[in-house]
Amino acid sequence: MTTQDDIRNLAIIAHVDHGKTTLVDAMLWQSGIFRQHEKVMERVLDNIDLERERGITIMAKNTGVHYRGVKINIVDTPGHADFGGEVERTLKMVDGVMLLVDAAEGPMPQTRFVLRKALEAGLPPIVVLNKIDRAEARPAQVLDEVYDLFIDLDAGEAQLDFPVVYTDARRGVATLDPARPGQNLLPLFDLILSAIPAPRADPGAGLQLLITNLDRDDFVGRLGIGRIVNGRVALADEVAVCGPDGRIEKAKVTRLYTFEGLGRTEVREAAAGDIVALAGIENLSLGDTVADAASPAPLPRVVVDEPTISMVFAVNTSPFAGREGRFVTSRKLKERLDKEAEGNVSIRVEPTGSPDAFTVAGRGELQLAILIEMMRRGGYELAVSKPEIIVKTVEGRLQEPVELLTVDCAEDFLGVVTQKVSLRKGRMTKMVNHGTGRVRLEFRIPSRGLIGFRSEFLTDTRGNGIMHTLFEGHEPWHGPIPERATGAMVADRPGATTTYALHHIQERGRLFLPPGAAVYEGMIVGENAKEADLDVNATKEKKLTNMRSSTADEALRLVPHRVLSLEQALAWINEDELVEVTPQSIRLRKKALPAKDRSRRRSP
Ligand SMILES: Nc1nc2c(ncn2[C@@H]2O[C@H](COP(=O)(O)OP(=O)(O)OP(=O)(O)O)[C@@H](O)[C@H]2O)c(=O)[nH]1
Ligand SMILES: [Mg+2]
């Protein structure tokens, strides 16, 4: 074993929005990888369209900078709980972490999750208190809360002895002393060199490279990304790929890269301790070990927390199938889902009784909604079912996943929030009133109760409530949770909706469609105020009389229809309904389209 003193590998971990990507941005700038006047967008690492639109990181990304002759590999990770699997596997690549905490908000549920994983992996942390520029910043108190969190998570003596640095990531400054404003990020870089251990490895041993990330390059094909745990690898080397179930295949390394700034640099050779990407192995999955061809020794595969939620993804069978998408067959759907499962450890794809449908399991509604959104942007059409939580049977008893729900809202909404949460079988475990007019509440709630809760919560708190969830474990089944109390208004024939017809329908509930929308029999046009479903003719034209009636028709006023986002649509549907997703449309439909095939919903 030797120590690779010229390398440091670390991950930046935190709760959502605490400023990870912004800090990595500043580190990249100050390491001089961009030219002086080069135009670089803000948070340049969030380079996936959906990441930019939503302002969140979805996938972990590798970067590398040089400082004082040391190569620092930094992995930016997502902070949203649904993408926790990305953090878990990233931790396999590194020797330490920067635990970032918003100096005003303090530790939040995902701070706890990522710190727990880092401590379990024995990784030493640097605590970064970010956003010290905020007027509400309270660094001393937040530091106490961070200590409490460490103690709560049973951190050892040595782990409690973490160094602290204070940053304003937006300005790119860091200081070890909160009383003295920083000038740049050099104190942080120095701290990384002194506090994060250099990798220890044996470059003379047989190659062992653990694949913890996958990527694709249009020119060279599949890329496997991971850390060289032992040995060395060179271009054109013959290697053994150790897959699941003891499978071993031979392959040849056709390209080899290390990470420099935002990109990859081709190299001829790399040694233990470094993080590399390699091409030439098409049949590669996450968790595989790329090993010495003569004496392959696989490393333990990556294991992450179990998925908690699942949905059925099926071929689009609506009468409009194939009109808007390029990929509509079950073969294409399966290929795409298999590819996702290969590259994403926390997603599982399983067959169902039908060759046209697959069960897709993940960590939360957002993770699955993002997958669906990426698929529709990629030209796919599909139909998805209501999200269901994954239960398990332990010693003959049914158990379901439960989560820690943290809510931050104005005092005025305390009543409505607690009432809604208790309907969904949530139990309050903590309430803190900061005396600022806002309260912070904690609940334990079955994951089942959280389906569709977010959009309801945002409406109830008029958009200013903040909520976060964190998977806690399994508990015995909590009993029934009331379902949607309203029915669907369902088109009884194909055609285009008319103002005249919608005008009459809107009196019964809430419309989802504007006039002029194409509908088919069995498609949902709105929400019925009553619990039963209602078949409606949404295409009826006004009977023409002798009198000119066009002006009269225009005078009919429609209440603006409700446009459901993908997540809202998924939250709204019942078991006998589907969301039809195409590159251009999100439609809601009954599973059984002809009215005669639909069983009436049972009256309560
Ligand atoms: N005032 C202030 N704002 C900051 C600072 N650092 C980041 N922000 C802002 O906080 C928001 C979130 O920053 P991101 O860097 O996207 O946070 P993140 O931790 O990468 O978020 P996820 O990857 O989605 O978990 C952005 O609007 C940033 O401009 C800081 O030091 N001070
Ligand atoms: Mg980010």
Side-chain angles (χ1 to χ4, degrees):
M1 281 280 174
T2 54
T3 306
Q4 260 47 52
D5 281 322
D6 55 348
I7 299 180
R8 296 291 185 281
N9 298 317
L10 76 157
I12 179 161
I13 56 175
H15 186 73
V16 66
D17 266 356
H18 280 193
K20 296 173 290 297
T21 306
T22 308
L23 185 62
V24 177
D25 240 21
M27 293 175 80
L28 289 170
W29 268 107
Q30 293 188 26
S31 70
I33 65 141
F34 303 123
R35 266 165 284 128
Q36 191 94 87
H37 297 291
E38 195 174 342
K39 277 246 181 306
V40 183
M41 55 194 178
E42 228 178 72
R43 283 182 285 114
V44 57
L45 277 179
D46 285 344
N47 54 5
I48 301 172
D49 283 351
L50 270 174
E51 293 184 320
R52 298 208 74 78
E53 282 167 29
R54 292 177 182 245
I56 56 169
T57 304
I58 296 171
M59 309 238 272
K61 289 178 209 79
N62 287 80
T63 60
V65 300
H66 289 269
Y67 179 69
R68 295 202 171 168
V70 177
K71 166 79 180 297
I72 306 177
N73 287 308
I74 310 166
V75 196
D76 185 26
T77 65
H80 193 285
D82 281 21
F83 309 116
E86 294 281 304
V87 183
E88 286 186 67
R89 68 178 159 82
T90 296
L91 294 180
K92 292 275 176 204
M93 267 191 260
V94 298
D95 303 294
V97 295
M98 285 194 270
L99 176 75
L100 194 98
V101 183
D102 184 321
E105 247 184 27
M108 294 293 283
Q110 193 67 2
T111 316
R112 185 184 179 90
F113 173 84
V114 295
L115 178 61
R116 186 169 73 210
K117 294 291 171 187
L119 293 177
E120 279 170 8
L123 298 172
I126 292 176
V127 169
V128 181
L129 296 186
N130 188 36
K131 306 200 189 185
I132 42 167
D133 57 298
R134 282 181 65 175
E136 311 88 338
R138 43 186 189 98
Q141 258 172 302
V142 167
L143 185 55
D144 279 346
E145 292 168 20
V146 173
Y147 271 111
D148 291 345
L149 183 61
F150 271 76
I151 291 167
D152 211 32
L153 291 172
D154 291 326
E157 280 300 304
Q159 288 170 321
L160 270 176
D161 210 12
F162 54 81
V164 184
V165 57
Y166 302 81
T167 56
D168 172 348
R170 273 216 296 229
R171 278 186 51 226
V173 298
T175 174
L176 300 180
D177 176 0
R180 275 198 225 159
Q183 304 298 319
N184 49 41
L185 288 178
L186 296 188
L188 175 62
F189 280 116
D190 285 326
L191 193 56
I192 289 172
L193 296 198
S194 63
I196 303 291
R200 282 180 62 73
D202 187 353
L207 171 68
Q208 284 182 307
L209 191 166
L210 182 65
I211 299 297
T212 41
N213 205 350
L214 293 173
D215 203 350
R216 176 160 283 282
D217 181 292
D218 288 343
F219 299 105
V220 303
R222 153 105 359 139
L223 290 171
I225 300 170
R227 172 191 180 128
I228 309 177
V229 177
N230 280 310
R232 45 182 70 240
V233 61
L235 210 57
D237 270 1
E238 215 194 321
V239 290
V241 183
C242 311
D245 319 315
R247 166 173 64 83
I248 294 187
E249 282 168 23
K250 291 274 158 61
K252 194 169 151 184
V253 178
T254 57
R255 287 281 199 306
L256 184 65
Y257 309 87
T258 56
F259 291 90
E260 298 288 341
L262 295 171
R264 295 185 289 262
T265 310
E266 272 202 75
V267 292
R268 303 197 61 81
E269 199 190 21
D274 211 347
I275 295 175
V276 296
L278 47 81
I281 313 170
E282 271 306 304
N283 188 12
L284 192 64
S285 9
L286 277 181
D288 289 0
T289 301
V290 176
D292 187 59
S295 56
L299 295 159
R301 297 188 75 81
V302 186
V303 265
V304 303
D305 284 353
E306 300 275 306
T308 53
I309 195 169
S310 76
M311 282 183 209
V312 174
F313 284 38
V315 166
N316 185 12
T317 53
S318 101
F320 295 171
R323 286 195 190 174
E324 294 166 356
R326 278 187 295 145
F327 306 118
V328 290
T329 61
S330 70
R331 190 171 60 89
K332 284 285 174 201
L333 185 64
K334 180 169 187 325
E335 276 173 16
R336 177 65 183 81
L337 291 174
D338 285 346
K339 187 170 144 247
E340 188 66 27
E342 268 173 31
N344 193 333
V345 270
S346 57
I347 292 247
R348 292 213 191 129
V349 178
E350 272 152 27
T352 62
S354 149
D356 290 339
F358 308 90
T359 304
V360 181
R363 286 283 185 87
E365 277 173 290
L366 180 67
Q367 188 189 24
L368 294 181
I370 295 267
L371 171 59
I372 297 167
E373 190 63 47
M374 291 203 177
M375 289 177 71
R376 68 188 285 237
R377 288 179 189 208
Y380 289 81
E381 281 193 15
L382 63 159
V384 286
S385 70
K386 179 185 167 71
E388 281 177 28
I389 57 112
I390 299 171
V391 294
K392 58 183 191 183
T393 312
V394 179
E395 290 165 4
R397 289 188 68 187
L398 191 60
Q399 297 210 330
E400 64 175 327
V402 289
E403 303 192 32
L404 176 73
L405 166 70
T406 319
V407 163
D408 191 303
C409 68
E411 270 169 334
D412 304 354
F413 304 121
L414 183 65
V416 55
V417 171
T418 41
Q419 187 210 343
K420 289 278 174 76
V421 176
S422 72
L423 267 179
R424 292 163 173 269
K425 293 273 188 289
R427 189 161 43 79
M428 198 193 291
T429 51
K430 195 167 162 187
M431 177 160 116
V432 185
N433 196 330
H434 289 300
T436 52
R438 288 183 79 84
V439 283
R440 192 177 286 185
L441 312 169
E442 276 181 26
F443 304 88
R444 267 179 95 81
I445 179 170
S447 306
R448 197 161 41 109
L450 287 169
I451 294 175
F453 178 66
R454 187 177 298 269
S455 59
E456 205 174 288
F457 169 80
L458 285 175
T459 314
D460 288 342
T461 57
R462 307 222 182 92
N464 81 18
I466 303 167
M467 62 167 271
H468 294 290
T469 58
L470 176 63
F471 173 66
E472 281 267 294
H474 285 78
E475 276 182 7
W477 185 254
H478 283 238
I481 290 177
E483 287 202 359
R484 192 178 86 207
T486 55
M489 297 198 284
V490 186
D492 68 356
R493 70 198 70 195
T497 56
T498 63
T499 305
Y500 177 74
L502 294 181
H503 183 75
H504 290 281
I505 296 170
Q506 71 180 8
E507 284 159 26
R508 317 289 292 265
R510 184 83 194 260
L511 295 171
F512 293 156
L513 295 174
V519 294
Y520 49 80
E521 180 179 4
M523 183 168 148
I524 298 171
V525 299
E527 177 168 33
N528 188 13
K530 299 221 179 89
E531 199 186 329
D533 287 346
L534 184 68
D535 288 323
V536 295
N537 177 357
T539 63
K540 200 184 325 188
E541 304 268 5
K542 188 169 187 198
K543 285 259 165 27
L544 284 182
T545 56
N546 287 337
M547 269 181 290
R548 292 184 60 91
S549 60
S550 63
T551 46
D553 200 41
E554 272 160 27
L556 296 176
R557 284 268 180 86
L558 287 183
V559 180
H561 65 284
R562 177 167 178 221
V563 181
L564 293 179
S565 67
L566 176 60
E567 278 124 298
Q568 286 167 333
L570 291 171
W572 190 84
I573 57 170
N574 270 330
E575 260 114 51
D576 62 339
E577 293 159 351
L578 295 171
V579 181
E580 173 187 355
V581 186
T582 77
Q584 276 139 55
S585 316
I586 292 172
R587 302 187 189 96
L588 284 74
R589 56 167 281 191
K590 300 307 281 187
K591 272 186 185 160
L593 295 179
K596 61 175 170 42
D597 296 349
R598 266 179 262 139
S599 56
R600 296 278 144 210
R601 282 182 73 191
R602 274 170 286 125
S603 39

